[in-house]
Amino acid sequence: MSAAVSGDGRSRNWAPYLLSGPALLLFIGVVVAPIAMTALLSFQSWDRVKGIGDVLVLAHWREVLSDGYFAEMFLRTLRLSVIVTVLTAVIGAPEAYILHRMTSRWKGVCLLVILGPLLISVVARTLGWALLFGGANGVVNQALIKLGIISAPLPFMFTETGVAIALAHVLMPFMVLAVSASLQKVDPKIEHAAASLGARPATVVFRIVLPQVMPGLLSGAIIVFALAASSFATPAIIGGRRLKVASTLIYDEFLNSLNWPLGAVIAMILLLALVAIVAGSNRIVERRYAEAFS
Amino acid sequence: MSYLRIEQLTKEFGSYRAVEGLTLTIEKGEFVSLLGPSGCGKTTTLQMIAGFVEPSAGSVVLGGKDLLAVPPYKRGLGIVFQSYALFPHMTAAENVAFGLEMAGVGRDERRRRAGDMLELVGLSGFADRFPRRMSGGQQQRVALARALVIRPSILLLDEPLSNLDAKLREGMQVELRQIQRQLGTTTVLVTHDQAEAMALSDRIVVMNKGRAEQVGPPEETYERPASAFVSDFLGRTNTLTAQVDGEGTVRLRGVAIPMAKLAPGPVSLSVRPEKVGFTEAGAGFVNAVVTAKVFQGTHWLYQLETPDGAVVVIRQNDGSGGPAEGASVGLRWAVEHCLVEPERRSAP
Ligand SMILES: Nc1ncnc2c1ncn2[C@@H]1O[C@H](COP(=O)(O)OP(=O)(O)O)[C@@H](O)[C@H]1O
Ligand SMILES: [Mg+2]
């Protein structure tokens, strides 16, 4: 490598490019190229009889952007993702803290319970929710009705609430792991210092620990949001055909209506919106915490 | 009645005794150091006073009140940790004001008192800095200000200076002592640095394996150590093997050392390097040959070989030169400066 370190500025050092070359090629092949092709597809003409044509048109974009049906669907996707993110944060962060305070023997067991959803197929897990709450035959609903707590079955299947709960369950581990990782970096002496200054245990948690794990919580939120907005299996099974979100609508356009260009438009909008939201919130997080952390 | 009374304090981790029957009383305004090697239970003791470790046995009474019945956040003690443990998401001023806020002090008074305290520790220009943007010494001062601003009944310091470099540490020692005198805060310092303990404390508690070996003013523990461990830990010492004969006289290879009668048997005799003087060969308690002589500015350091092992002697550089390398000399010392203990068969 001594030749590469000539340092006169004229001979370029190609080593970094060569070393990252294979990964770069793979990235272009499996990420950039499909996206570029999808982008192109979204402008291609389509006809019920002739299928996809070679003429480039704006018709599909115009249709998606002007039709209230699509706006409602995108809004539902956004609302669901936000609700799921908030749910995982509100439940996952305390979960991570309790896990953090446990003795190591219980920690292992509880970690397994929390990571459990990741180990079971999304389909099996989602069908499990369906069995528990699905209509009047759902186990939980039957039990609650028999106990006289409710008179009609709780609506779960084909409702936003159902999708949100099932998605929150699926994505919870990502939040717990993100918060756990940043909890590990908190010096327990800092909590002791706060207590010695007169802070009660609850005050220590909210004023001292929470602000320190906020970057972890926010990055967990970004992950959960992105995964929720692009999730397919859970909304497909629980939401069914009635409750469409972006990913299930894309699936329908591609495989049922066979209107690929329209599906491509929805896919592109979902992608662009996600990139904008994730990148934007990431920048806000970084700027907010640059002074105290990093 | 003493201000802080610690009685028979014990902490067991499983079957391991980290602190064993520690008894100690501290007067109001006193500066006491817990001194001992790493792992001897100093931090555990401090944590028990602070309330973060529950004692297995014993009592801690502060101003007549049982401290162990009080949760940590109501004890009103100030603590400074070796790792500073500042709140990373708060500025220096916010760190210092936190304890006041917890005590319900109003915003304006909080700001004023935090500012005063930062000024006292020499950080008036740093109020709006985050800990990450401060040096170790500055963070240490913030931690000290944060602990002092609540006017704690006791200030607990756990190796507060050991993360600082030597020069800064000496400066901070002087400052710490000045601040402590000025505020009159009762202080317990944990340290493994004997020079630091001697420089700062009114009294030193020398700890070894969870027990207090000796409690006393720095000079007393240094000059009249209760054990060879204390003597060795509080500075260099020479240890020679001697015998106590049938009449109870301590003899070093037959030469009688005029001190109190003892039970017959082997004993170890320790004497500090600066307490040993030179005489003509044959006229001292023991004969020695100078093997090395090192100039150290204010004093000379001699290494000598005696029939009972190596001995180090420190002589003030009074310009007279002293014996040369290779010279045969006698060694003598005032008997009150030497400590005689029954020989420990199984030396650690
Ligand atoms: N939580 C704990 N569990 C088990 N052993 C401990 C614990 N805390 C401290 N010890 C042990 O107790 C002894 C004394 O520790 P410590 O008080 O920290 O020593 P020092 O501060 O004097 O260096 C050490 O041997 C340490 O390993
Ligand atoms: Mg310690």
Side-chain angles (χ1 to χ4, degrees), chain A residues 187 189-190 192-193 195-200 207 211-212 290-292, chain B residues 52 73 77 81 83 85-89 99 101-102 130 132-133 146:
Chain A
D187 181 357
K189 297 221 172 65
I190 294 180
H192 285 174
S196 76
L197 293 167
R200 289 163 180 279
R207 293 283 310 275
Q212 288 185 71
E291 189 76 25
Chain B
F52 302 125
Y73 63 88
L77 311 179
F81 296 97
S83 58
L86 294 178
F87 309 134
H89 55 293
E101 190 189 335
M102 292 299 113
F130 282 94
R132 285 290 161 96
R133 303 269 180 275
R146 184 180 67 174

PDB file of all heavy atoms in Angstrom, chain A residues 187 189-190 192-193 195-200 207 211-212 290-292, chain B residues 52 73 77 81 83 85-89 99 101-102 130 132-133 146:
ATOM      1  N   ASP A 187     -24.805   5.953  32.914  1.00  0.00           N
ATOM      2  CA  ASP A 187     -24.023   5.633  34.107  1.00  0.00           C
ATOM      3  C   ASP A 187     -24.968   5.556  35.317  1.00  0.00           C
ATOM      4  O   ASP A 187     -25.632   6.539  35.638  1.00  0.00           O
ATOM      5  CB  ASP A 187     -22.983   6.746  34.287  1.00  0.00           C
ATOM      6  CG  ASP A 187     -22.084   6.513  35.497  1.00  0.00           C
ATOM      7  OD1 ASP A 187     -22.307   5.513  36.218  1.00  0.00           O
ATOM      8  OD2 ASP A 187     -21.175   7.330  35.701  1.00  0.00           O
ATOM      9  N   LYS A 189     -24.360   5.758  38.271  1.00  0.00           N
ATOM     10  CA  LYS A 189     -23.975   6.749  39.273  1.00  0.00           C
ATOM     11  C   LYS A 189     -24.706   8.063  39.055  1.00  0.00           C
ATOM     12  O   LYS A 189     -24.917   8.828  39.996  1.00  0.00           O
ATOM     13  CB  LYS A 189     -22.461   6.972  39.206  1.00  0.00           C
ATOM     14  CG  LYS A 189     -21.673   5.722  39.536  1.00  0.00           C
ATOM     15  CD  LYS A 189     -20.481   6.045  40.405  1.00  0.00           C
ATOM     16  CE  LYS A 189     -19.813   4.788  40.897  1.00  0.00           C
ATOM     17  NZ  LYS A 189     -19.224   4.018  39.771  1.00  0.00           N
ATOM     18  N   ILE A 190     -25.082   8.341  37.790  1.00  0.00           N
ATOM     19  CA  ILE A 190     -25.808   9.573  37.514  1.00  0.00           C
ATOM     20  C   ILE A 190     -27.165   9.533  38.219  1.00  0.00           C
ATOM     21  O   ILE A 190     -27.607  10.526  38.787  1.00  0.00           O
ATOM     22  CB  ILE A 190     -25.970   9.763  35.990  1.00  0.00           C
ATOM     23  CG1 ILE A 190     -24.591   9.991  35.363  1.00  0.00           C
ATOM     24  CG2 ILE A 190     -26.892  10.928  35.683  1.00  0.00           C
ATOM     25  CD1 ILE A 190     -24.615  10.183  33.870  1.00  0.00           C
ATOM     26  N   HIS A 192     -27.754   7.842  40.937  1.00  0.00           N
ATOM     27  CA  HIS A 192     -27.438   8.002  42.354  1.00  0.00           C
ATOM     28  C   HIS A 192     -27.219   9.471  42.694  1.00  0.00           C
ATOM     29  O   HIS A 192     -27.683   9.964  43.724  1.00  0.00           O
ATOM     30  CB  HIS A 192     -26.184   7.197  42.711  1.00  0.00           C
ATOM     31  CG  HIS A 192     -26.441   5.722  42.805  1.00  0.00           C
ATOM     32  ND1 HIS A 192     -25.443   4.807  42.988  1.00  0.00           N
ATOM     33  CD2 HIS A 192     -27.588   5.021  42.745  1.00  0.00           C
ATOM     34  CE1 HIS A 192     -25.972   3.593  43.032  1.00  0.00           C
ATOM     35  NE2 HIS A 192     -27.263   3.702  42.885  1.00  0.00           N
ATOM     36  N   ALA A 193     -26.502  10.161  41.810  1.00  0.00           N
ATOM     37  CA  ALA A 193     -26.237  11.579  42.050  1.00  0.00           C
ATOM     38  C   ALA A 193     -27.557  12.339  42.141  1.00  0.00           C
ATOM     39  O   ALA A 193     -27.741  13.171  43.040  1.00  0.00           O
ATOM     40  CB  ALA A 193     -25.362  12.141  40.942  1.00  0.00           C
ATOM     41  N   ALA A 195     -30.506  11.158  42.943  1.00  0.00           N
ATOM     42  CA  ALA A 195     -31.205  10.798  44.179  1.00  0.00           C
ATOM     43  C   ALA A 195     -30.609  11.542  45.367  1.00  0.00           C
ATOM     44  O   ALA A 195     -31.326  12.045  46.225  1.00  0.00           O
ATOM     45  CB  ALA A 195     -31.137   9.289  44.399  1.00  0.00           C
ATOM     46  N   SER A 196     -29.269  11.638  45.400  1.00  0.00           N
ATOM     47  CA  SER A 196     -28.636  12.317  46.532  1.00  0.00           C
ATOM     48  C   SER A 196     -29.013  13.792  46.563  1.00  0.00           C
ATOM     49  O   SER A 196     -28.961  14.431  47.603  1.00  0.00           O
ATOM     50  CB  SER A 196     -27.117  12.161  46.467  1.00  0.00           C
ATOM     51  OG  SER A 196     -26.581  13.025  45.495  1.00  0.00           O
ATOM     52  N   LEU A 197     -29.398  14.339  45.404  1.00  0.00           N
ATOM     53  CA  LEU A 197     -29.788  15.749  45.353  1.00  0.00           C
ATOM     54  C   LEU A 197     -31.267  15.936  45.670  1.00  0.00           C
ATOM     55  O   LEU A 197     -31.804  17.028  45.530  1.00  0.00           O
ATOM     56  CB  LEU A 197     -29.471  16.330  43.973  1.00  0.00           C
ATOM     57  CG  LEU A 197     -27.980  16.431  43.667  1.00  0.00           C
ATOM     58  CD1 LEU A 197     -27.748  16.705  42.197  1.00  0.00           C
ATOM     59  CD2 LEU A 197     -27.334  17.516  44.518  1.00  0.00           C
ATOM     60  N   GLY A 198     -31.923  14.849  46.061  1.00  0.00           N
ATOM     61  CA  GLY A 198     -33.303  14.973  46.522  1.00  0.00           C
ATOM     62  C   GLY A 198     -34.348  14.556  45.514  1.00  0.00           C
ATOM     63  O   GLY A 198     -35.534  14.778  45.733  1.00  0.00           O
ATOM     64  N   ALA A 199     -33.921  13.938  44.380  1.00  0.00           N
ATOM     65  CA  ALA A 199     -34.896  13.534  43.364  1.00  0.00           C
ATOM     66  C   ALA A 199     -35.507  12.191  43.739  1.00  0.00           C
ATOM     67  O   ALA A 199     -34.780  11.226  43.978  1.00  0.00           O
ATOM     68  CB  ALA A 199     -34.226  13.454  41.999  1.00  0.00           C
ATOM     69  N   ARG A 200     -36.846  12.140  43.765  1.00  0.00           N
ATOM     70  CA  ARG A 200     -37.529  10.876  44.023  1.00  0.00           C
ATOM     71  C   ARG A 200     -37.332   9.948  42.833  1.00  0.00           C
ATOM     72  O   ARG A 200     -37.022  10.393  41.740  1.00  0.00           O
ATOM     73  CB  ARG A 200     -39.030  11.132  44.201  1.00  0.00           C
ATOM     74  CG  ARG A 200     -39.343  11.817  45.473  1.00  0.00           C
ATOM     75  CD  ARG A 200     -40.723  12.427  45.464  1.00  0.00           C
ATOM     76  NE  ARG A 200     -40.944  13.070  46.752  1.00  0.00           N
ATOM     77  CZ  ARG A 200     -41.321  12.412  47.844  1.00  0.00           C
ATOM     78  NH1 ARG A 200     -41.549  11.119  47.789  1.00  0.00           N
ATOM     79  NH2 ARG A 200     -41.461  13.042  48.992  1.00  0.00           N
ATOM     80  N   ARG A 207     -36.712  12.960  34.686  1.00  0.00           N
ATOM     81  CA  ARG A 207     -35.848  14.127  34.477  1.00  0.00           C
ATOM     82  C   ARG A 207     -34.413  13.758  34.137  1.00  0.00           C
ATOM     83  O   ARG A 207     -33.687  14.551  33.542  1.00  0.00           O
ATOM     84  CB  ARG A 207     -35.849  14.997  35.742  1.00  0.00           C
ATOM     85  CG  ARG A 207     -37.175  15.665  36.043  1.00  0.00           C
ATOM     86  CD  ARG A 207     -37.431  16.863  35.143  1.00  0.00           C
ATOM     87  NE  ARG A 207     -36.312  17.781  35.114  1.00  0.00           N
ATOM     88  CZ  ARG A 207     -36.115  18.731  36.009  1.00  0.00           C
ATOM     89  NH1 ARG A 207     -36.974  18.915  36.969  1.00  0.00           N
ATOM     90  NH2 ARG A 207     -35.073  19.525  35.916  1.00  0.00           N
ATOM     91  N   PRO A 211     -34.371  11.792  29.424  1.00  0.00           N
ATOM     92  CA  PRO A 211     -33.670  12.660  28.472  1.00  0.00           C
ATOM     93  C   PRO A 211     -32.409  12.008  27.901  1.00  0.00           C
ATOM     94  O   PRO A 211     -32.037  12.261  26.764  1.00  0.00           O
ATOM     95  CB  PRO A 211     -33.303  13.887  29.319  1.00  0.00           C
ATOM     96  CG  PRO A 211     -34.250  13.871  30.446  1.00  0.00           C
ATOM     97  CD  PRO A 211     -34.557  12.436  30.727  1.00  0.00           C
ATOM     98  N   GLN A 212     -31.764  11.165  28.706  1.00  0.00           N
ATOM     99  CA  GLN A 212     -30.539  10.539  28.209  1.00  0.00           C
ATOM    100  C   GLN A 212     -30.806   9.444  27.192  1.00  0.00           C
ATOM    101  O   GLN A 212     -29.960   9.165  26.345  1.00  0.00           O
ATOM    102  CB  GLN A 212     -29.738   9.954  29.377  1.00  0.00           C
ATOM    103  CG  GLN A 212     -29.094  11.013  30.241  1.00  0.00           C
ATOM    104  CD  GLN A 212     -28.226  10.395  31.301  1.00  0.00           C
ATOM    105  OE1 GLN A 212     -27.171   9.861  31.042  1.00  0.00           O
ATOM    106  NE2 GLN A 212     -28.697  10.437  32.527  1.00  0.00           N
ATOM    107  N   ALA A 290     -27.059  17.407  19.418  1.00  0.00           N
ATOM    108  CA  ALA A 290     -25.644  17.541  19.064  1.00  0.00           C
ATOM    109  C   ALA A 290     -24.859  18.147  20.223  1.00  0.00           C
ATOM    110  O   ALA A 290     -23.746  17.711  20.526  1.00  0.00           O
ATOM    111  CB  ALA A 290     -25.503  18.403  17.825  1.00  0.00           C
ATOM    112  N   GLU A 291     -25.461  19.130  20.910  1.00  0.00           N
ATOM    113  CA  GLU A 291     -24.738  19.866  21.952  1.00  0.00           C
ATOM    114  C   GLU A 291     -24.381  18.981  23.138  1.00  0.00           C
ATOM    115  O   GLU A 291     -23.234  18.944  23.578  1.00  0.00           O
ATOM    116  CB  GLU A 291     -25.612  21.030  22.410  1.00  0.00           C
ATOM    117  CG  GLU A 291     -24.907  22.003  23.328  1.00  0.00           C
ATOM    118  CD  GLU A 291     -23.959  22.913  22.568  1.00  0.00           C
ATOM    119  OE1 GLU A 291     -24.172  23.126  21.364  1.00  0.00           O
ATOM    120  OE2 GLU A 291     -23.005  23.383  23.186  1.00  0.00           O
ATOM    121  N   ALA A 292     -25.361  18.234  23.635  1.00  0.00           N
ATOM    122  CA  ALA A 292     -25.140  17.488  24.877  1.00  0.00           C
ATOM    123  C   ALA A 292     -24.535  16.112  24.628  1.00  0.00           C
ATOM    124  O   ALA A 292     -23.716  15.650  25.408  1.00  0.00           O
ATOM    125  CB  ALA A 292     -26.453  17.334  25.624  1.00  0.00           C
TER     126      ALA A 292
ATOM    127  N   PHE B  52     -27.109   3.828  48.979  1.00  0.00           N
ATOM    128  CA  PHE B  52     -27.231   3.085  47.730  1.00  0.00           C
ATOM    129  C   PHE B  52     -26.848   1.622  47.896  1.00  0.00           C
ATOM    130  O   PHE B  52     -27.039   0.819  46.993  1.00  0.00           O
ATOM    131  CB  PHE B  52     -26.388   3.738  46.640  1.00  0.00           C
ATOM    132  CG  PHE B  52     -26.765   5.159  46.410  1.00  0.00           C
ATOM    133  CD1 PHE B  52     -25.826   6.180  46.489  1.00  0.00           C
ATOM    134  CD2 PHE B  52     -28.086   5.497  46.150  1.00  0.00           C
ATOM    135  CE1 PHE B  52     -26.191   7.494  46.303  1.00  0.00           C
ATOM    136  CE2 PHE B  52     -28.460   6.801  45.961  1.00  0.00           C
ATOM    137  CZ  PHE B  52     -27.512   7.806  46.034  1.00  0.00           C
ATOM    138  N   TYR B  73     -32.950   9.763  48.813  1.00  0.00           N
ATOM    139  CA  TYR B  73     -33.292  11.112  48.350  1.00  0.00           C
ATOM    140  C   TYR B  73     -33.732  12.036  49.469  1.00  0.00           C
ATOM    141  O   TYR B  73     -33.982  13.206  49.251  1.00  0.00           O
ATOM    142  CB  TYR B  73     -34.347  11.039  47.238  1.00  0.00           C
ATOM    143  CG  TYR B  73     -35.678  10.461  47.635  1.00  0.00           C
ATOM    144  CD1 TYR B  73     -36.672  11.268  48.148  1.00  0.00           C
ATOM    145  CD2 TYR B  73     -35.936   9.097  47.486  1.00  0.00           C
ATOM    146  CE1 TYR B  73     -37.898  10.747  48.505  1.00  0.00           C
ATOM    147  CE2 TYR B  73     -37.165   8.567  47.836  1.00  0.00           C
ATOM    148  CZ  TYR B  73     -38.143   9.394  48.351  1.00  0.00           C
ATOM    149  OH  TYR B  73     -39.354   8.869  48.704  1.00  0.00           O
ATOM    150  N   LEU B  77     -27.461  14.366  51.634  1.00  0.00           N
ATOM    151  CA  LEU B  77     -26.007  14.284  51.574  1.00  0.00           C
ATOM    152  C   LEU B  77     -25.539  14.703  50.183  1.00  0.00           C
ATOM    153  O   LEU B  77     -26.236  14.506  49.205  1.00  0.00           O
ATOM    154  CB  LEU B  77     -25.539  12.844  51.848  1.00  0.00           C
ATOM    155  CG  LEU B  77     -26.134  12.171  53.083  1.00  0.00           C
ATOM    156  CD1 LEU B  77     -25.608  10.755  53.205  1.00  0.00           C
ATOM    157  CD2 LEU B  77     -25.798  12.980  54.315  1.00  0.00           C
ATOM    158  N   PHE B  81     -18.666  11.704  42.619  1.00  0.00           N
ATOM    159  CA  PHE B  81     -18.120  10.429  42.191  1.00  0.00           C
ATOM    160  C   PHE B  81     -16.841  10.625  41.380  1.00  0.00           C
ATOM    161  O   PHE B  81     -16.619  11.682  40.815  1.00  0.00           O
ATOM    162  CB  PHE B  81     -19.136   9.687  41.313  1.00  0.00           C
ATOM    163  CG  PHE B  81     -20.398   9.311  42.036  1.00  0.00           C
ATOM    164  CD1 PHE B  81     -21.530  10.098  41.944  1.00  0.00           C
ATOM    165  CD2 PHE B  81     -20.443   8.163  42.797  1.00  0.00           C
ATOM    166  CE1 PHE B  81     -22.696   9.734  42.601  1.00  0.00           C
ATOM    167  CE2 PHE B  81     -21.599   7.794  43.457  1.00  0.00           C
ATOM    168  CZ  PHE B  81     -22.725   8.588  43.355  1.00  0.00           C
ATOM    169  N   SER B  83     -16.303   9.335  38.567  1.00  0.00           N
ATOM    170  CA  SER B  83     -16.670   9.548  37.159  1.00  0.00           C
ATOM    171  C   SER B  83     -17.483  10.835  36.982  1.00  0.00           C
ATOM    172  O   SER B  83     -18.061  11.047  35.935  1.00  0.00           O
ATOM    173  CB  SER B  83     -17.472   8.354  36.658  1.00  0.00           C
ATOM    174  OG  SER B  83     -18.632   8.181  37.462  1.00  0.00           O
ATOM    175  N   ALA B  85     -20.245  11.883  37.094  1.00  0.00           N
ATOM    176  CA  ALA B  85     -21.691  11.601  37.027  1.00  0.00           C
ATOM    177  C   ALA B  85     -22.526  12.865  36.875  1.00  0.00           C
ATOM    178  O   ALA B  85     -23.566  13.016  37.499  1.00  0.00           O
ATOM    179  CB  ALA B  85     -22.147  10.796  38.256  1.00  0.00           C
ATOM    180  N   LEU B  86     -22.077  13.783  36.026  1.00  0.00           N
ATOM    181  CA  LEU B  86     -22.892  14.966  35.738  1.00  0.00           C
ATOM    182  C   LEU B  86     -24.059  14.560  34.848  1.00  0.00           C
ATOM    183  O   LEU B  86     -23.988  13.552  34.146  1.00  0.00           O
ATOM    184  CB  LEU B  86     -22.040  16.024  35.023  1.00  0.00           C
ATOM    185  CG  LEU B  86     -20.909  16.616  35.850  1.00  0.00           C
ATOM    186  CD1 LEU B  86     -20.114  17.609  35.018  1.00  0.00           C
ATOM    187  CD2 LEU B  86     -21.455  17.300  37.088  1.00  0.00           C
ATOM    188  N   PHE B  87     -25.141  15.359  34.876  1.00  0.00           N
ATOM    189  CA  PHE B  87     -26.265  15.092  33.990  1.00  0.00           C
ATOM    190  C   PHE B  87     -25.869  15.588  32.600  1.00  0.00           C
ATOM    191  O   PHE B  87     -25.741  16.799  32.395  1.00  0.00           O
ATOM    192  CB  PHE B  87     -27.522  15.811  34.485  1.00  0.00           C
ATOM    193  CG  PHE B  87     -27.819  15.539  35.937  1.00  0.00           C
ATOM    194  CD1 PHE B  87     -28.153  16.566  36.804  1.00  0.00           C
ATOM    195  CD2 PHE B  87     -27.744  14.237  36.446  1.00  0.00           C
ATOM    196  CE1 PHE B  87     -28.427  16.320  38.139  1.00  0.00           C
ATOM    197  CE2 PHE B  87     -28.020  13.979  37.778  1.00  0.00           C
ATOM    198  CZ  PHE B  87     -28.349  15.020  38.628  1.00  0.00           C
ATOM    199  N   PRO B  88     -25.687  14.685  31.633  1.00  0.00           N
ATOM    200  CA  PRO B  88     -25.113  15.112  30.348  1.00  0.00           C
ATOM    201  C   PRO B  88     -26.036  16.015  29.543  1.00  0.00           C
ATOM    202  O   PRO B  88     -25.559  16.767  28.703  1.00  0.00           O
ATOM    203  CB  PRO B  88     -24.873  13.788  29.602  1.00  0.00           C
ATOM    204  CG  PRO B  88     -25.771  12.804  30.247  1.00  0.00           C
ATOM    205  CD  PRO B  88     -25.947  13.242  31.666  1.00  0.00           C
ATOM    206  N   HIS B  89     -27.349  15.957  29.852  1.00  0.00           N
ATOM    207  CA  HIS B  89     -28.280  16.740  29.057  1.00  0.00           C
ATOM    208  C   HIS B  89     -28.569  18.104  29.667  1.00  0.00           C
ATOM    209  O   HIS B  89     -29.470  18.804  29.226  1.00  0.00           O
ATOM    210  CB  HIS B  89     -29.594  15.973  28.898  1.00  0.00           C
ATOM    211  CG  HIS B  89     -30.199  15.569  30.216  1.00  0.00           C
ATOM    212  ND1 HIS B  89     -29.609  14.648  31.045  1.00  0.00           N
ATOM    213  CD2 HIS B  89     -31.319  15.984  30.839  1.00  0.00           C
ATOM    214  CE1 HIS B  89     -30.362  14.505  32.124  1.00  0.00           C
ATOM    215  NE2 HIS B  89     -31.403  15.306  32.026  1.00  0.00           N
ATOM    216  N   GLY B  99     -30.410  20.282  42.344  1.00  0.00           N
ATOM    217  CA  GLY B  99     -30.686  19.960  43.739  1.00  0.00           C
ATOM    218  C   GLY B  99     -31.552  21.016  44.406  1.00  0.00           C
ATOM    219  O   GLY B  99     -32.411  20.707  45.230  1.00  0.00           O
ATOM    220  N   GLU B 101     -33.739  22.889  42.822  1.00  0.00           N
ATOM    221  CA  GLU B 101     -35.082  22.723  42.275  1.00  0.00           C
ATOM    222  C   GLU B 101     -35.819  21.620  43.039  1.00  0.00           C
ATOM    223  O   GLU B 101     -36.992  21.763  43.388  1.00  0.00           O
ATOM    224  CB  GLU B 101     -34.987  22.374  40.793  1.00  0.00           C
ATOM    225  CG  GLU B 101     -36.331  22.433  40.093  1.00  0.00           C
ATOM    226  CD  GLU B 101     -36.259  21.883  38.681  1.00  0.00           C
ATOM    227  OE1 GLU B 101     -35.169  21.907  38.080  1.00  0.00           O
ATOM    228  OE2 GLU B 101     -37.302  21.411  38.202  1.00  0.00           O
ATOM    229  N   MET B 102     -35.105  20.523  43.312  1.00  0.00           N
ATOM    230  CA  MET B 102     -35.718  19.412  44.040  1.00  0.00           C
ATOM    231  C   MET B 102     -36.131  19.853  45.442  1.00  0.00           C
ATOM    232  O   MET B 102     -37.077  19.351  46.017  1.00  0.00           O
ATOM    233  CB  MET B 102     -34.740  18.234  44.153  1.00  0.00           C
ATOM    234  CG  MET B 102     -34.438  17.552  42.847  1.00  0.00           C
ATOM    235  SD  MET B 102     -35.901  16.849  42.073  1.00  0.00           S
ATOM    236  CE  MET B 102     -36.064  17.853  40.627  1.00  0.00           C
ATOM    237  N   PHE B 130     -22.272  22.562  28.281  1.00  0.00           N
ATOM    238  CA  PHE B 130     -22.658  21.190  28.587  1.00  0.00           C
ATOM    239  C   PHE B 130     -21.419  20.426  29.052  1.00  0.00           C
ATOM    240  O   PHE B 130     -20.306  20.739  28.647  1.00  0.00           O
ATOM    241  CB  PHE B 130     -23.252  20.519  27.355  1.00  0.00           C
ATOM    242  CG  PHE B 130     -24.674  20.916  27.091  1.00  0.00           C
ATOM    243  CD1 PHE B 130     -24.980  21.956  26.228  1.00  0.00           C
ATOM    244  CD2 PHE B 130     -25.706  20.252  27.728  1.00  0.00           C
ATOM    245  CE1 PHE B 130     -26.291  22.331  26.004  1.00  0.00           C
ATOM    246  CE2 PHE B 130     -27.025  20.610  27.505  1.00  0.00           C
ATOM    247  CZ  PHE B 130     -27.314  21.659  26.640  1.00  0.00           C
ATOM    248  N   ARG B 132     -20.092  17.720  28.224  1.00  0.00           N
ATOM    249  CA  ARG B 132     -19.241  17.186  27.145  1.00  0.00           C
ATOM    250  C   ARG B 132     -18.195  18.181  26.672  1.00  0.00           C
ATOM    251  O   ARG B 132     -17.177  17.821  26.116  1.00  0.00           O
ATOM    252  CB  ARG B 132     -20.100  16.806  25.937  1.00  0.00           C
ATOM    253  CG  ARG B 132     -20.874  15.565  26.100  1.00  0.00           C
ATOM    254  CD  ARG B 132     -19.953  14.348  26.110  1.00  0.00           C
ATOM    255  NE  ARG B 132     -20.629  13.225  26.709  1.00  0.00           N
ATOM    256  CZ  ARG B 132     -21.267  12.288  26.024  1.00  0.00           C
ATOM    257  NH1 ARG B 132     -21.259  12.314  24.738  1.00  0.00           N
ATOM    258  NH2 ARG B 132     -21.877  11.329  26.646  1.00  0.00           N
ATOM    259  N   ARG B 133     -18.521  19.458  26.826  1.00  0.00           N
ATOM    260  CA  ARG B 133     -17.630  20.486  26.301  1.00  0.00           C
ATOM    261  C   ARG B 133     -16.685  21.007  27.382  1.00  0.00           C
ATOM    262  O   ARG B 133     -16.147  22.083  27.244  1.00  0.00           O
ATOM    263  CB  ARG B 133     -18.451  21.644  25.742  1.00  0.00           C
ATOM    264  CG  ARG B 133     -19.427  21.260  24.667  1.00  0.00           C
ATOM    265  CD  ARG B 133     -18.789  21.372  23.283  1.00  0.00           C
ATOM    266  NE  ARG B 133     -19.726  21.005  22.241  1.00  0.00           N
ATOM    267  CZ  ARG B 133     -19.940  19.739  21.845  1.00  0.00           C
ATOM    268  NH1 ARG B 133     -19.273  18.750  22.425  1.00  0.00           N
ATOM    269  NH2 ARG B 133     -20.793  19.472  20.882  1.00  0.00           N
ATOM    270  N   ARG B 146     -22.300  21.173  42.463  1.00  0.00           N
ATOM    271  CA  ARG B 146     -23.630  20.572  42.486  1.00  0.00           C
ATOM    272  C   ARG B 146     -23.916  19.915  43.834  1.00  0.00           C
ATOM    273  O   ARG B 146     -25.018  19.987  44.355  1.00  0.00           O
ATOM    274  CB  ARG B 146     -23.731  19.542  41.362  1.00  0.00           C
ATOM    275  CG  ARG B 146     -25.085  18.907  41.213  1.00  0.00           C
ATOM    276  CD  ARG B 146     -25.120  17.900  40.092  1.00  0.00           C
ATOM    277  NE  ARG B 146     -24.295  16.735  40.376  1.00  0.00           N
ATOM    278  CZ  ARG B 146     -24.241  15.653  39.592  1.00  0.00           C
ATOM    279  NH1 ARG B 146     -24.916  15.630  38.476  1.00  0.00           N
ATOM    280  NH2 ARG B 146     -23.477  14.635  39.916  1.00  0.00           N
TER     281      ARG B 146
END
